[in-house]
Each structure stands twice: as C-alpha cells, then as structure tokens.
Amino acid sequence: RFSCRRLGGGLVQPGGSLRLSCAASKFTLAYYAIGWFRQAPGKEREWVSCIGVSEGSSSYPDSVKGRFTISRDSAKDTVYLQMNSLKPEDTAVYYCAAAIPGGCPHGMDYWGKGTQVTVSS
C-alpha cells in the first residue's frame, strides 16, 4: 500500500510552501525510483519530479525546477516533496508513484492515492 500525505494544510497562499510525504507499508521505497505527479481538473497528469535509488539523482521539469525539491529519508523509508514559491497553477491532486530503477517518470509501476494541494489567495 502506498500513502501520500500533506505535511501541513492543503490550502496555501501564493508564494507559500508545503511538503508532501510518500510512504509504503507493503514494500521498501529505498529499492525503487520514486516520482511525484500531479493532475489538475481538466488537464492531463503531469510529471513533477523523480528521485532515483541513489539520493543524488533527481530530476524536474522546467515548470517546477528551482521551486520543488524531492528527497529521501532512508531511516524512515519516506520520500518528500518540498514545494516552495507555490503558484496558483500548482493547484492539483498530487500523487507519488514507484518504479524499478530507471523507470521514472515513464514506467511507474505502483501509484499512491492522491492528495489535494490548492494554491489560492
């Protein structure tokens, strides 16, 4: 089982920050590449970030580069997405997903339930 959680409220003002966490109860995240994705109403799902099995290997699309940071806590076997300088266009349901090494973002195997992030004044 996969769970994606917000650490903090789901409604944040533009320019604010929010952190999401991703954990699993049935398998070990450390063995998988982990990705964050989002889907806004009426839009296709969009890739937000990937982190490889090695903590140093992360990637982002231009839309979030410099504002979002993906990281791992090996001790807690948890992956985080720190989102800063949030914009209204970041409003979406956010999902985390797991893939075999090298599979992020186009070969995700397991998906968590999404969590709503709303950026609005």
Side-chain angles (χ1 to χ4, degrees):
R1 301 276 183 204
F2 240 140
S3 65
C4 306
R5 297 181 180 178
R6 290 192 308 263
L7 301 176
L11 175 62
V12 62
Q13 292 188 342
S17 298
L18 200 61
R19 190 165 71 151
L20 305 180
S21 70
C22 179
S25 60
K26 298 295 186 182
F27 56 93
T28 302
L29 292 186
Y31 299 148
Y32 294 85
I34 304 298
W36 284 96
F37 299 78
R38 66 187 181 186
Q39 189 165 20
K43 295 187 177 181
E44 293 187 355
R45 187 170 59 202
E46 177 188 15
W47 163 58
V48 173
S49 65
C50 285
I51 189 166
V53 173
S54 168
E55 292 186 28
S57 60
S58 59
S59 57
Y60 309 88
D62 289 343
S63 58
V64 305
K65 192 175 293 181
R67 300 190 297 121
F68 290 12
T69 303
I70 190 170
S71 62
R72 289 184 183 269
D73 183 329
S74 299
K76 297 181 179 179
D77 197 33
T78 299
V79 174
Y80 298 99
L81 182 68
Q82 178 68 42
M83 305 184 292
N84 298 328
S85 302
L86 284 162
K87 304 175 182 180
E89 51 264 43
D90 295 319
T91 296
V93 177
Y94 283 71
Y95 302 86
C96 62
I100 61 172
C104 187
H106 301 297
M108 311 310 292
D109 298 305
Y110 306 101
W111 290 85
K113 291 184 178 180
T115 187
Q116 177 69 44
V117 172
T118 302
V119 184
S120 176
S121 55

